Amino acid sequence: MKPATIISAIVLSAVAVTGTAVLAKGSKDRQQPTFQELDANGDGQITQAEIDTHRMQRFTDADSNGDGQLSLDEMQAAAQAKANDRVQKMFERQDANNDGFLSTDELPKPRRGAKMFERIDADGNGSISEQEYADAKVRMGRKHKRMRDNDTDSN
């Protein structure tokens, strides 16, 4: 298997795992509201009441049938709408020639792909063994667990 294929598979796996976790618990790096969005009365200060109002508005927006409760379908629809919006914005940023299609030249260049490959290739022989791959998955799992634990501690 070619190194580029292996890297693609690793990156795709990482995105799938983290993407699922993000949808399940909410994203740390989701787009935070701007100061102006939170400062509802425009006085240059954010109060707890304004934060609470913003939070309730997000709930109300997701509660599509207006029954004061969120069903699984409503939460999935809200998450899908956010995902669709992110994909659309990413597509618009990447479609440099505005032809409505992304070519491989327009895709973002991997920032850490080679570095990640080198870290996983523990023996430095230019390929990743099944054991090296398994070890990397274990390390990634531990890192994600620490991040989850730290996130839980701070709430």
Side-chain angles (χ1 to χ4, degrees):
M1 190 178 269
K2 294 181 180 180
T5 305
I6 293 171
I7 291 172
S8 297
I10 292 168
V11 170
L12 183 58
S13 297
V15 167
V17 167
T18 56
T20 304
V22 163
L23 284 175
K25 78 171 201 174
S27 171
K28 271 186 163 180
D29 42 277
R30 70 177 172 254
Q31 188 162 3
Q32 298 296 320
T34 65
F35 185 89
Q36 290 73 22
E37 289 171 327
L38 292 173
D39 182 19
N41 63 7
D43 69 353
Q45 303 291 317
I46 299 173
T47 65
Q48 184 63 51
E50 288 171 317
I51 291 173
D52 292 344
T53 299
H54 184 321
R55 182 174 172 266
M56 282 306 298
Q57 186 60 52
R58 288 182 57 212
F59 181 92
T60 302
D61 291 346
D63 182 17
S64 59
N65 65 5
D67 68 354
Q69 300 177 51
L70 292 180
S71 68
L72 177 60
D73 288 340
E74 288 171 322
M75 289 184 71
Q76 288 173 330
Q80 187 62 55
K82 287 180 187 177
N84 290 345
D85 186 49
R86 283 191 306 269
V87 168
Q88 180 176 347
K89 288 176 182 173
M90 183 276 305
F91 188 92
E92 290 168 357
R93 278 193 313 272
Q94 300 301 321
D95 187 16
N97 61 4
N98 295 314
D99 66 352
F101 298 94
L102 293 182
S103 67
T104 55
D105 294 338
E106 292 173 310
L107 293 177
K109 305 297 181 237
R111 295 180 297 194
R112 301 179 310 175
K115 202 178 249 186
M116 182 183 292
F117 187 90
E118 289 172 11
R119 274 196 305 247
I120 295 171
D121 180 19
D123 62 10
N125 70 350
S127 64
I128 297 173
S129 70
E130 188 172 350
Q131 185 60 52
E132 288 170 326
Y133 185 79
D135 293 345
K137 282 179 61 178
V138 168
R139 284 192 307 271
M140 189 183 323
R142 279 192 220 127
K143 179 179 178 182
H144 287 270
K145 183 178 182 328
R146 278 193 310 269
M147 289 170 48
R148 270 194 316 270
D149 291 347
N150 289 340
D151 187 43
T152 303
D153 292 343
S154 65
N155 287 334

